[in-house]
Amino acid sequence: MGKVHPRALQSSSTCNFTSKQEIFTLWMKSLVLNGKGCTLFDSNGQIVYRVDNYNCKSFEEVHLMDQQGNTLFTILRKQYNLFGFWEGYRSPATRNDPKGPCFRVYKSYRIFRGVSAYGVKLGLDKNQPNTLKIECSTTKSPCKISDQFGVLVAELSRKKSSCGVELGDDVLTMVVEPNVDLSLIMGLVVAYSLINCQI
């Protein structure tokens, strides 16, 4: 069986902000046997971030961790009337943190030309709300994250081998633009995946 990246267990030091456009591999599998989660690798095959859910029956709370296992975001499921959404708290914040969540991701139930839209509210912990938008035509198609002006921030698509062959549905390429908080983008991707039951 082939490996996504053969040197995946080595660690590397990473900065949260991208200095240039960077390309990552997102594997929608947990590194824990029989667990659920995902793992982000850099272009050298080093683990950057991971999500491992040891309790496969409950998805009320997940943790985005760095390669050493330090929690960066705690992402919690919330319910408002019939609609659910996910909120991300910077670690070591908790559900009752007075600062509030850093971000909120929710499905926007407006379908425009076959494209599903997801709303993202940022800066909730600073009372300076900002918005991003996640768009995709299906859960298996490329997914774009753009700011309120429509400028692309990050994009996910199925990974292709060097020969151009698409790999499995669970192996994605994530392209992140310069000057973007990578841990935040990864938190949004995790919340989006949870909404679509992909983790």
Side-chain angles (χ1 to χ4, degrees):
M1 179 166 111
K3 296 181 180 178
V4 175
H5 278 291
R7 297 177 301 164
L9 296 177
Q10 298 174 3
S11 65
S12 65
S13 61
T14 57
C15 175
N16 280 345
F17 278 86
T18 55
S19 59
K20 58 184 176 16
Q21 184 185 66
E22 294 187 46
I23 300 174
F24 300 90
T25 298
L26 179 60
W27 190 32
M28 300 303 287
K29 296 279 185 188
S30 172
L31 295 177
V32 176
L33 185 63
N34 295 326
K36 293 201 174 204
C38 61
T39 308
L40 185 72
F41 300 92
D42 66 15
S43 57
N44 296 319
Q46 307 296 312
I47 293 174
V48 182
Y49 301 118
R50 63 189 177 94
V51 173
D52 292 309
N53 186 2
Y54 307 106
N55 182 4
C56 295
K57 295 179 182 174
S58 173
F59 276 106
E60 299 297 317
E61 179 176 320
V62 295
H63 302 279
L64 174 63
M65 299 174 278
D66 64 13
Q67 66 271 30
Q68 281 90 24
N70 301 315
T71 301
L72 303 174
F73 279 102
T74 299
I75 303 170
L76 304 171
R77 176 186 225 142
K78 301 283 187 146
Q79 191 74 26
Y80 180 73
N81 291 335
L82 297 175
F83 303 105
F85 54 91
W86 291 82
E87 290 183 336
Y89 296 80
R90 284 211 187 262
S91 192
T94 62
R95 187 181 296 261
N96 298 320
D97 193 327
K99 288 193 304 188
C102 179
F103 67 82
R104 178 180 297 139
V105 178
Y106 54 93
K107 187 161 186 174
S108 174
Y109 295 101
R110 289 175 303 180
I111 298 178
F112 179 69
R113 294 186 199 161
V115 175
S116 295
Y118 299 80
V120 178
K121 294 219 182 274
L122 302 173
L124 298 172
D125 55 341
K126 300 178 184 121
N127 292 323
Q128 297 173 340
N130 195 355
T131 58
L132 290 177
K133 183 169 49 174
I134 302 173
E135 291 182 319
C136 64
S137 52
T138 67
T139 56
K140 298 195 184 293
S141 68
C143 170
K144 297 180 180 184
I145 302 174
S146 53
D147 66 14
Q148 66 266 32
F149 304 110
V151 176
L152 187 68
V153 175
E155 183 172 17
L156 288 130
S157 59
R158 285 210 24 210
K159 188 171 180 79
K160 293 184 179 181
S161 70
S162 56
C163 314
V165 177
E166 283 189 343
L167 301 179
D169 290 345
D170 59 350
V171 184
L172 306 172
T173 295
M174 185 167 87
V175 179
V176 181
E177 296 302 320
N179 305 314
V180 174
D181 182 348
L182 181 57
S183 65
L184 176 63
I185 293 299
M186 189 60 193
L188 301 179
V189 168
V190 168
Y192 163 79
S193 299
L194 288 164
I195 289 171
N196 290 292
C197 304
Q198 294 175 327
I199 292 182

